[in-house]
Amino acid sequence: MTVETPVVPSTVGAAPTGDDDDPSERRRRRRRRIVIAAAVVLVVVAIVVLRSRGGAKAGPQRPGGRVVSVVAVPARVADMPVYLDGLGTVTAINTVTVRSRVDGQLVAVGYREGQLVRQGDLLAQIDPRPFQVQVQQQEGQLAKDEAALKNARLDLARYQALLKEDAVSRQQLDTQVATVNQLEGTIKTDEAQVANARLNLAYSRITSPIPGRVGLRLVDPGNMVHASDPNGLLVITQLQPIAVVFTLPADQLPPVMAGMAKGDKLRVEAWDRERKKMLDTGSLEAVDNQVDDTTGTVRLKGLFTNEGYGLFSNQFVNARLLVDTLHGAVIIPTAALQRSPQGTYAWVVKPDSTVDMRTVTVAHTEGEDTAIGSGVAAGEPVVTDGVDNLQPGAKVTTAPPGGAGGAGRAGAPGGRPGGRAGGGRKPSS
């Protein structure tokens, strides 16, 4: 009898089991392949972008690169005014609060609110009848006492004649002399009373003490007014001439005092708040005698004719004091100035249409113009716009200024420097 031995299958080299063919495992392998492929694509794209940027950046640095378009303005020779700026307040030379000097009823006004009046013009009328009566009373008393004095002098003449005949005593004569003297003193008192009554009558007619502009009316006709009223009847402000009081830092005083010591009438200009319109011109009248220790400033007063009535009392203005003039200075637009840690410089266009970086010294800046002490010669074009892509020796093509980078008017206040002045980048060497 034959016994069959069962055959056990071998696991060596056997096919994967059912666990290896699990769908979740296949999905994980697929995701890993997708992630790896995406990473490779991103790396390739980054390398391409970096290389393209490096080539674009290096392009302008290569010799013979593109020509840069700039705006250039030639330096010119002109006189440069030197101003000192300060904030000022318009102050009236004279301001008068008109009050009544007698008590009475206000019966009429002779002005309109805001009217310009001259000295001596009628402003108001107080009822004059009570004062006319006082004048008549005092004149009557004066006439009475004058008659008594005349009679006393006649009696004195009689006593003097009778004394020679011993008809009266010496004492009677002396008494009559004293009576005459007393009546003469009474006459002087009466004359003073008459003058006082006439003065009060004149005070009932109120006139303007100064020329100027009348303010708003404070008392209406029909009201009783008194000499002790605190507010008065009206206010008059003198407008011609008028003063501007402004302040300057104490360290700016030396040129001001030097000019006044020579007897010069330093010019003062009054501008509006935006520094766009000049309101009037005048001259420096006085400098205060002390420095304000809290602000370190000194007050100055300028006097203005104010012919156009452009200045009003208590108005805020920008005062500009002319202390010097730079004659024959080389002037370039302020927009052409660039600054770096090494100092101030400007780009100058040479005859071969290349640019050169020049270190300059600034003598004075006034609005949109700057006077140069050294570094730029008269007639040399300086770049005012388009400096961002400039390098020493770069080729440029110039265009006429379109207004933003052009030369400004000398002495124009509040001029805004060009957008890149003071903020230009330092060129690489």
Side-chain angles (χ1 to χ4, degrees), residues 252-273:
Q252 294 182 353
L253 275 182
V256 178
M257 302 309 296
M260 295 191 67
K262 293 188 295 184
D264 297 340
K265 282 289 187 179
L266 300 182
R267 174 188 173 96
V268 183
E269 299 175 356
W271 293 74
D272 62 359
R273 288 194 177 188

Side-chain angles (χ1 to χ4, degrees), residues 292-349:
D292 188 341
D293 55 2
T294 59
T295 60
T297 59
V298 180
R299 297 194 308 166
L300 298 90
K301 177 186 285 188
L303 193 62
F304 296 79
T305 57
N306 198 23
E307 294 180 358
Y309 296 102
L311 300 176
F312 285 82
S313 182
N314 295 332
Q315 177 185 5
F316 289 101
V317 296
N318 289 292
R320 312 191 75 225
L321 177 63
L322 179 63
V323 295
D324 195 8
T325 301
L326 303 179
H327 298 284
V330 177
I331 298 177
I332 66 172
T334 304
L337 295 179
Q338 309 295 320
R339 289 177 174 83
S340 69
Q342 286 71 32
T344 304
Y345 64 94
W347 292 103
V348 178
V349 180

Side-chain angles (χ1 to χ4, degrees), residues 120-141:
D121 287 351
L122 177 65
L123 299 177
Q125 178 67 59
I126 297 176
D127 188 0
R129 291 173 296 178
F131 308 106
Q132 292 171 348
V133 171
Q134 291 178 5
V135 171
Q136 293 174 356
Q137 289 176 344
Q138 298 302 327
E139 288 177 345
Q141 183 65 39

Side-chain angles (χ1 to χ4, degrees), residues 39-64:
V40 172
V41 172
L42 289 177
V43 171
V44 173
V45 171
I47 293 174
V48 172
V49 170
L50 291 177
R51 286 183 177 178
S52 63
R53 289 184 178 180
K57 182 177 181 181
Q61 308 294 336
R62 295 192 301 269

